[in-house]
Amino acid sequence: MSAARPPRPFFSPGSRSSSSATSGYRWIRQFLALCCYALLLMPGFIQVLYYYFFSNQVHRSVVYGEQPRNRLDLYIPTGTTESKPVVAFITGGAWIIGYKGWGALLGRRLAERGILVACIDYRNFPQGTIGDMVEDASQGISFICNNIASYGGDPERIYLVGQSAGAHIAACTLLNQAIKECGEGDTSTWSIAQLKAYFGISGGYNLLNLVDHFHRRGLYRSIFLSIMEGEESLKKFSPQVMVKESASRSALPLLPHIFLFHGTSDCSIPCAESQAFLDALQQHGAKADLFLYEGKTHTDLFLQDPLRGGRDKMLEEIVAAIHNDDPGESAQHLPVPVARRLVPEIMLILARRVSPF
């Protein structure tokens, strides 16, 4: 009788190969799911791209700074010559693939409601790290605050909006600016007081809680920590943690009204992130509200719902908050435009099922 074969060590070469193969298969599945998702939404994407490149309402790649990615797109409403409320938008993209053009659908929908939209581009990793992204966002906001009047925008009615990674970058920018203004010798070219409100869509606000979550979803720990300038910087770039620190308390009264939006079925960034950020803000006296959308995923709020046309609950909340700031706003007395459907419902349902987000 031959001797019994000894058990294979847990960290054997075969085990590592198996793990690598599993990881490889997961990436292939994710890539195929992304391709199917994009293909199903392609009818809408083609129409939005046509609008982006050929509409005379869109002013692309306005320069706001010296870096190669320091550009922004403007979506100018048609109609009256009155100054328009302004949305400064920072798009998502996992800090790696963010691009100003991703805001074309939001820009189109808000421009239809009489709101001027400025989509700010910023350096992505590895071109820049989180500090560079926050710096770019701050420069873009400064440009908007100081120059938007020449494009028909009202510098007294500027609102900051961020989505996903962009919501995180925007929140960091907002808090950093508030902290600067509480210190001595602040030389900033814009002020928190120039922003009427902040809208965070599907954002992540405590990076300490998200490192392992992102790692499991394919944004590996080593890459994520490189984006965030090392593990020691996670607290520095976690808005929820910043709000709780005593050094930031004096800055909180400077913050504008904060509105947070999140889907309860968001797998990319759990809705608990927005809930915890809300609790921290309210606990320390900041004015904040949270809107949770039952069963909505990470992309439903930003893509599928606007592509569906008709009434868009989140968009209506944003528009209402903007127009309610000015009781005399003429747009309140105009018929609410019903957005046209851009993708058949069956394709939206299938896209939701295969979505890798």
Side-chain angles (χ1 to χ4, degrees):
M1 181 182 294
S2 60
R5 180 179 296 174
R8 174 179 288 177
F10 183 74
F11 291 109
S12 69
S15 176
R16 287 196 296 270
S17 299
S18 175
S19 176
S20 299
T22 301
S23 177
Y25 290 140
R26 182 172 63 180
W27 271 102
I28 292 171
R29 288 197 303 269
Q30 291 282 85
F31 177 73
L32 292 175
L34 178 61
C35 291
C36 292
Y37 175 79
L39 187 63
L40 287 163
L41 298 183
M42 192 57 66
F45 291 161
I46 290 172
Q47 295 175 73
V48 173
L49 282 171
Y50 184 86
Y51 169 81
Y52 179 70
F53 284 109
F54 298 106
S55 173
N56 57 14
Q57 291 180 256
V58 184
H59 296 194
R60 299 189 309 277
S61 295
V62 176
V63 177
Y64 71 79
E66 297 179 355
Q67 296 295 328
R69 293 291 294 272
N70 288 173
R71 306 287 187 272
L72 55 83
D73 295 330
L74 296 172
Y75 298 82
I76 313 292
T78 58
T80 66
T81 57
E82 297 176 359
S83 294
K84 304 294 186 182
V86 180
V87 159
F89 176 65
I90 302 175
T91 187
W95 303 273
I96 297 173
I97 59 170
Y99 179 61
K100 57 187 174 62
W102 302 163
L105 182 57
L106 179 71
R108 175 177 176 172
R109 292 303 191 212
L110 289 178
E112 291 171 348
R113 305 293 289 271
I115 298 168
L116 192 157
V117 180
C119 294
I120 301 170
D121 211 359
Y122 55 89
R123 282 170 283 179
N124 285 189
F125 183 80
Q127 188 179 24
T129 57
I130 184 61
D132 300 313
M133 300 174 201
V134 171
E135 180 184 340
D136 289 350
S138 182
Q139 274 194 278
I141 294 168
S142 175
F143 178 90
I144 293 164
C145 288
N146 293 297
N147 297 278
I148 204 63
S150 62
Y151 296 95
D154 186 347
E156 300 299 320
R157 289 185 292 163
I158 299 176
Y159 301 81
L160 180 61
V161 179
Q163 185 263 337
S164 191
H168 167 255
I169 294 168
C172 287
T173 305
L174 198 64
L175 283 165
N176 284 349
Q177 181 63 26
I179 292 168
K180 282 182 184 178
E181 291 181 19
C182 286
E184 295 181 2
D186 176 40
T187 58
S188 300
T189 55
W190 67 282
S191 169
I192 287 289
Q194 293 175 272
L195 301 181
K196 301 280 283 183
Y198 165 66
F199 302 93
I201 305 169
S202 308
Y205 306 102
N206 189 341
L207 302 183
L208 298 171
N209 294 338
L210 291 171
V211 178
D212 292 335
H213 174 76
F214 288 149
H215 182 82
R216 289 191 296 270
R217 293 191 58 80
L219 181 52
Y220 297 127
R221 184 184 183 90
S222 59
I223 298 173
F224 184 68
L225 291 180
S226 295
I227 296 170
M228 298 302 159
E229 301 176 1
E231 193 163 4
E232 65 281 358
S233 295
L234 292 179
K235 290 184 178 180
K236 176 183 174 184
F237 293 107
S238 292
Q240 181 191 329
V241 177
M242 294 168 68
V243 165
K244 294 180 178 180
E245 292 179 346
S246 57
S248 305
R249 300 284 171 80
S250 58
L252 295 184
L254 299 180
L255 295 178
H257 195 155
I258 292 175
F259 297 89
L260 304 175
F261 305 92
H262 224 120
T264 60
S265 295
D266 190 331
C267 296
S268 295
I269 300 179
C271 64
E273 282 291 303
S274 287
Q275 181 66 64
F277 190 35
L278 174 83
D279 294 341
L281 287 165
Q282 291 183 337
Q283 183 180 351
H284 295 96
K287 190 175 182 181
D289 290 290
L290 171 63
F291 297 85
L292 291 176
Y293 297 91
E294 191 66 31
K296 297 294 184 181
T297 66
H298 193 67
T299 55
D300 275 332
L301 298 179
F302 188 67
L303 280 179
Q304 283 97 297
D305 285 354
L307 288 171
R308 180 172 281 112
R311 306 300 293 271
D312 184 330
K313 289 184 178 179
M314 186 189 74
L315 185 72
E316 289 179 359
E317 294 288 356
I318 293 174
V319 171
I322 291 174
H323 288 319
N324 286 343
D325 272 341
D326 185 357
E329 173 58 53
S330 60
Q332 292 186 83
H333 308 295
L334 296 175
V336 176
V338 178
R340 184 172 61 85
R341 176 184 286 277
L342 301 180
V343 177
E345 185 64 24
I346 184 62
M347 298 180 79
L348 289 170
I349 294 171
L350 292 173
R352 193 178 192 274
R353 290 184 178 178
V354 302
S355 171
F357 307 109

